[in-house]
Amino acid sequence: MELDNFKELWNKDTGQEPPEISLEKQREIHSPLQMLKINMKTEFWLMVVTLPLLLTSFPFASTDSNIRTISTFVTILTIAFMCYFYSRFLKLYTLLQKNSINTNYDLFNLKTQLLISKEIYISYYISYIPLAFLLSLIKINFHFDMEYNLAIFGISFLITLLLVCFIIKYWIYYMYGRYIDDVVYLVDELNGVEVKPRTEKKKTWFERSQKYFMNKFGIKGNIMNTVIWYVSVYISIILFLTLTLLIIIIIGAKLGFIDMTTLHRALDRLN
């Protein structure tokens, strides 16, 4: 980011004496923006890699033509959501790619776009909840009268809710939220807006490993750290949910609440 003429342009825009901006402050502005761009590129390529895995979960292989038709529409709707979101994603990335932010208006515009994009990002993942509800119904062929179908529906929907909550609470914060907060804080500080003093938070394992990889490998280290944590957390969630379900099934079978033969037939119908 080029802020060499920042004071002069600020003076022209506001008619007031521009605030003193140190090189350290300029680096503070540049750093979170750079991290946002890196993380946006990282997420885009992660999406490209994992998208085929997402689409394989749609039950196109069902013998019921109505189920296949509904599955097709759900897929089209999901892709439409993704296209809209990533078009906004690209718009924000293009804004961040600008070589310079030279005026006060540019700073306010940047702050506004970042805050709006954050809300759109959250809404994007929340939109998957009704889609997950519909997909869970498709899994059981819309038949609640079959034994264990209600349980299968509930578990499928619950897994999606847990994943969405995890993404909103952790993924959004570590990938974008903390950097957006940094930019907003700096823009407000430069414009004389009263800001709350920042409290030093204890570094998480993600942040510690990120610092280690970046010190060792630079920008590529941040990408490596993100991919490693993404894959590790994904596998951990799958293993945790699988283990939890196995424990519930084993306990239920021991206590006589679950009939393994009937459950096996219900699972076979899904395949």
Side-chain angles (χ1 to χ4, degrees):
M1 183 187 304
E2 296 176 4
L3 293 175
D4 297 334
N5 299 321
F6 186 87
K7 294 181 183 178
E8 180 184 348
L9 289 168
W10 185 294
N11 191 35
K12 289 179 181 179
D13 283 352
T14 63
Q16 300 175 0
E17 187 66 23
E20 189 71 26
I21 301 175
S22 64
L23 290 175
E24 181 183 357
K25 187 67 68 176
Q26 294 179 31
R27 285 194 294 269
E28 284 184 51
I29 297 173
H30 175 78
S31 180
L33 293 180
Q34 183 69 12
M35 293 301 297
L36 280 171
K37 289 188 289 183
I38 294 168
N39 286 340
M40 289 175 78
K41 287 196 291 185
T42 303
E43 180 175 356
F44 175 79
W45 288 112
L46 283 173
M47 185 275 296
V48 170
V49 172
T50 56
L51 181 60
L53 298 177
L54 173 67
L55 295 179
T56 55
S57 65
F58 289 82
F60 293 112
S62 175
T63 56
D64 190 327
S65 60
N66 291 326
I67 298 297
R68 289 200 303 270
T69 301
I70 294 172
S71 299
T72 302
F73 279 115
V74 172
T75 304
I76 293 172
L77 187 60
T78 302
I79 293 174
F81 277 155
M82 295 180 74
C83 288
Y84 169 75
F85 170 73
Y86 278 100
S87 67
R88 297 298 300 258
F89 204 66
L90 180 61
K91 181 180 178 182
L92 177 62
Y93 185 81
T94 302
L95 175 66
L96 298 179
Q97 278 289 88
K98 286 185 176 181
N99 293 327
S100 61
I101 299 176
N102 294 320
T103 67
N104 195 29
Y105 170 79
D106 289 333
L107 287 175
F108 276 114
N109 182 51
L110 175 64
K111 171 185 170 181
T112 303
Q113 290 299 324
L114 287 175
L115 292 175
I116 291 174
S117 296
K118 182 180 178 181
E119 294 305 313
I120 290 175
Y121 194 80
I122 293 173
S123 301
Y124 168 71
Y125 281 104
I126 291 176
S127 69
Y128 277 97
I129 294 177
L131 287 174
F133 183 85
L134 183 55
L135 279 174
S136 299
L137 287 174
I138 291 175
K139 278 185 175 293
I140 60 172
N141 292 343
F142 296 89
H143 292 148
F144 281 105
D145 53 333
M146 302 289 187
E147 280 193 276
Y148 298 119
N149 271 16
L150 179 59
I152 294 170
F153 165 81
I155 290 170
S156 300
F157 187 54
L158 180 61
I159 288 172
T160 302
L161 287 178
L162 291 173
L163 288 173
V164 170
C165 289
F166 176 82
I167 288 171
I168 291 175
K169 185 171 178 61
Y170 295 105
W171 178 262
I172 291 178
Y173 174 75
Y174 285 114
M175 291 291 284
Y176 307 109
R178 55 181 176 152
Y179 301 117
I180 291 175
D181 291 343
D182 286 344
V183 173
V184 170
Y185 183 90
L186 290 167
V187 171
D188 286 345
E189 191 177 50
L190 285 171
N191 283 277
V193 177
E194 186 176 349
V195 292
K196 294 181 180 179
R198 311 184 84 175
T199 55
E200 190 69 27
K201 296 181 180 179
K202 186 178 180 180
K203 295 288 185 182
T204 62
W205 284 103
F206 176 88
E207 292 170 311
R208 292 176 186 175
S209 61
Q210 181 185 50
K211 183 178 180 180
Y212 169 79
F213 278 108
M214 288 192 70
N215 288 338
K216 201 167 184 65
F217 303 105
I219 298 302
K220 292 181 180 178
N222 179 67
I223 298 173
M224 289 171 59
N225 182 69
T226 303
V227 172
I228 289 171
W229 275 93
Y230 177 87
V231 174
S232 300
V233 170
Y234 179 82
I235 293 174
S236 298
I237 290 174
I238 297 300
L239 290 176
F240 172 76
L241 293 174
T242 301
L243 183 61
T244 303
L245 288 175
L246 284 175
I247 292 172
I248 292 173
I249 291 171
I250 291 171
I251 294 175
K254 291 287 187 182
L255 297 177
F257 295 123
I258 297 176
D259 181 71
M260 295 302 294
T261 304
T262 306
L263 178 61
H264 190 268
R265 283 201 301 267
L267 294 175
D268 282 343
R269 284 197 302 270
L270 297 180
N271 299 324

